[in-house]
Amino acid sequence: MISEFALGPWLPDVTDYKNPGLEVCTNVIPGPGGYKPAYGANASEGDVGAAVLSAMTFQQSDGTRITVCATAGDLHHITGGVVTDSTLTLTLTEPVRFERFGSTIYASSKEGVWYLDDIESDNTFVAENWTIPHGLAMARVGDFLFMGNLTDTDTSDAPYRVRWSPYNNPQGTWATSISLQSDAVDMPENLGVVMGITGGNTGLIFQRNGLSRIQYTGGTSVFAKQVVDTQRGLAAPNSLAQVGENVFYLSDDGFFVTNGTAGQPISRGRVWDWFLANASQTYLSSVQAAVDWPNRCVIWTVPNDSGAFTGLLYYNWETQWWSYVSLATDCVFASGIAGVTLEQVAVLYPNLDTMSISLDSPTFAARGRSMAAFVGGIQYQLNGSSLSAEFESGEFQPQPGKRVYVRSVTPLINDQTDATLVTVTGRERMGAATTSDPDVAIGPLGFAPFAYDSRFIRVGLNIPAGTTWGDAYGYQIDFDVSSDT
């Protein structure tokens, strides 16, 4: 008989037996009803010469994308593969936060504030030349620039304070002024220091152990503040990812999402125990987040015991499925496809008269959204060759209570090269050691042949790196109930 099984969600925290999903789900991205390949780095898009602490992409009025990033010693501007250093001679140890306000890009940390004055014409950052707080957290809320966890305007350390700019004027006077609508507020100290701020028409202030919502009211108070969660806050300042009104974040007891109310868990009973076992708790506060818009996923970096990011944890906010990608990065960030210059077109098509597409083709234009990363200081798009993918099911009985004889397994993967390898693992009873038939190739009829019998089995699917494949849905098992039951 033939039975069909969907791969299902990755649930490493669930017990092996009768896990309704997957025990292993590596180097793939969760999508509608299945998984897609994860890709490695493509050609270099600029080298800043040192490990990157944080990065962000912005867009000029003509669609040209620029990347700004921070290394320990400087801030950098990249466009079209050309790197421009700001030569600031910094000594940064933590990521800086970037935020655009009008035509200006601001970069902030507790050590300083720098700005690129005009995104259309400037390509270097300079230090602020007016009195402005230096904030660990920064975001635009309505028509105000917010800073939190401050080296304040009087140079005092104010980790519980949030201060905002004059109305529509971050380069104005950051002092309490009803007429300018600028002011500051101290958050509840029992909820811990300010860790992050997210913007929009309504802002959220994340403290170490709590969350508050702020909204513009005008008048003498300027902003109304409401504490909405006193149970948990933000464990890593750069682990915030905003998707519309929803904000995803890492707390001390899991990954959560909030829309301005108390956070809702998205990882407990699914991948949280796996994360605790595989991510260094020493470097938990260094975890960074990014939004993979094309794949509808939030990504969090996974630090190892030396603090380096060696993997990416994906969460699809539409399907609520997770996956893990084993890829070393300095940082990841939302980006876009850069335009191709005439010089680059000439390399691709030495004879322009025989080109199969027009020079006006959108193929050569900057477009869309994508994921990018810095690896060793070099910027890449994550659209290179497919990574080696691996799935492994939980343990199950195709025929409950019976030993079965497995004749074949047919992967339900859009892989026209049939490069997928299949493994069947099993054991006679729950306490017995496992045996396996590993890495069986798919034959000319589209299935992997086996001659394997057991009571409890699990199925593994392995897709080699560089394979061109599409959606992965599941697999079919052709088996008979063994006469020796």
Side-chain angles (χ1 to χ4, degrees):
M1 66 180 69
I2 296 177
S3 291
E4 185 171 294
F5 300 88
L7 291 172
W10 180 42
L11 300 171
D13 292 0
V14 177
T15 56
D16 286 358
Y17 181 59
K18 285 194 173 181
N19 184 328
L22 296 166
E23 290 288 327
V24 177
C25 184
T26 303
N27 290 341
V28 295
I29 298 173
Y35 296 89
K36 303 175 182 179
Y39 298 99
N42 207 335
S44 168
E45 294 188 330
D47 185 354
V48 299
V52 171
L53 300 172
S54 55
M56 199 166 183
T57 291
F58 297 93
Q59 188 168 312
Q60 296 175 333
S61 59
D62 64 358
T64 300
R65 288 179 172 83
I66 66 167
T67 298
V68 294
C69 65
T71 57
D74 204 3
L75 301 180
H76 312 268
H77 173 285
I78 304 174
T79 182
V82 177
V83 177
T84 303
D85 304 324
S86 298
T87 62
L88 292 167
T89 316
L90 306 177
T91 56
L92 297 171
T93 58
E94 300 291 338
V96 303
R97 181 75 180 176
F98 295 101
E99 186 69 57
R100 179 173 179 173
F101 200 111
S103 63
T104 302
I105 299 173
Y106 295 90
S108 178
S109 75
K110 293 198 75 168
E111 285 70 40
V113 170
W114 307 268
Y115 68 106
L116 186 151
D117 193 49
D118 189 342
I119 190 176
E120 303 294 338
S121 58
D122 296 331
N123 57 11
T124 58
F125 286 83
V126 296
E128 89 280 7
N129 53 15
W130 69 99
T131 302
I132 183 174
H134 303 163
L136 172 77
M138 177 173 63
R140 177 173 180 167
V141 181
D143 293 308
F144 300 84
L145 187 63
F146 269 67
M147 298 279 194
N149 193 336
L150 308 174
T151 300
D152 210 349
T153 51
D154 61 358
T155 72
S156 64
D157 185 30
Y160 304 99
R161 186 170 301 155
V162 173
R163 185 177 292 278
W164 57 91
S165 70
Y167 173 80
N168 203 31
N169 185 16
Q171 297 184 26
T173 302
W174 288 61
T176 298
S177 169
I178 300 304
S179 61
L180 298 177
Q181 295 286 275
S182 55
D183 204 351
V185 64
D186 288 321
M187 305 302 292
E189 292 191 11
N190 64 301
L191 297 182
V193 301
V194 174
M195 296 287 281
I197 305 173
T198 59
N201 292 327
T202 299
L204 298 178
I205 300 174
F206 290 81
Q207 293 178 252
R208 190 64 179 81
N209 302 301
L211 169 63
S212 299
R213 184 173 61 242
I214 52 173
Q215 190 163 11
Y216 181 71
T217 58
T220 57
S221 61
V222 189
F223 278 90
K225 172 175 63 70
Q226 178 184 8
V227 177
V228 296
D229 195 339
T230 60
Q231 300 301 309
R232 61 184 53 84
L234 185 63
N238 295 289
S239 69
L240 292 169
Q242 187 166 1
V243 180
E245 297 298 319
N246 292 321
V247 178
F248 300 84
Y249 61 101
L250 171 63
S251 190
D252 286 311
D253 57 344
F255 292 94
F256 287 80
V257 62
T258 178
N259 60 1
T261 58
Q264 300 300 310
I266 59 175
S267 63
R268 295 302 298 265
R270 301 179 188 180
V271 303
W272 181 240
D273 289 344
W274 179 94
F275 180 78
L276 292 177
N278 288 273
S280 169
Q281 301 309 292
T282 302
Y283 295 99
L284 191 68
S285 63
S286 72
V287 171
Q288 298 185 16
V291 179
D292 183 348
W293 293 101
N295 289 308
R296 319 299 286 169
C297 290
V298 177
I299 303 171
W300 285 277
T301 56
V302 179
N304 67 8
D305 289 337
S306 65
F309 297 141
T310 54
L312 306 172
L313 197 59
Y314 275 72
Y315 173 74
N316 187 301
W317 66 76
E318 292 180 340
T319 66
Q320 300 180 21
W321 284 14
W322 295 83
S323 70
Y324 174 71
V325 174
S326 179
L327 186 67
T329 62
D330 299 347
C331 67
V332 292
F333 59 103
S335 182
I337 305 299
V340 181
T341 66
L342 287 176
E343 290 78 9
Q344 292 168 325
V345 172
V347 173
L348 295 171
Y349 301 95
N351 188 344
L352 298 182
D353 292 333
T354 61
M355 280 180 58
S356 58
I357 56 178
S358 168
L359 285 171
D360 295 329
S361 170
T363 301
F364 302 128
R367 64 196 186 280
R369 286 170 163 174
S370 64
M371 280 306 303
F374 278 94
V375 182
I378 303 174
Q379 181 181 349
Y380 299 97
Q381 292 288 322
L382 295 184
N383 59 3
S385 298
S386 64
L387 302 175
S388 175
E390 182 178 3
F391 303 100
E392 185 179 299
S393 72
E395 192 172 68
F396 63 98
Q397 291 185 295
Q399 188 73 14
K402 304 289 186 179
R403 172 185 279 122
V404 297
Y405 178 84
V406 178
R407 286 198 296 264
S408 69
V409 175
T410 302
L412 301 177
I413 298 173
N414 185 9
D415 170 16
Q416 295 182 359
T417 62
D418 285 337
T420 302
L421 302 173
V422 183
T423 298
V424 174
T425 302
R427 54 183 173 174
E428 288 298 306
R429 60 185 189 280
M430 294 292 288
T434 60
T435 62
S436 65
D437 276 0
D439 294 346
V440 176
I442 297 174
L445 297 180
F447 59 79
F450 287 91
Y452 185 85
D453 69 315
S454 185
R455 294 181 184 274
F456 300 92
I457 69 169
R458 65 179 68 202
V459 173
L461 305 175
N462 300 278
I463 308 173
T467 301
T468 301
W469 62 280
D471 295 325
Y473 168 78
Y475 52 89
Q476 294 174 340
I477 301 178
D478 184 2
F479 67 94
D480 284 329
V481 177
S482 175
S483 58
D484 181 11
T485 60

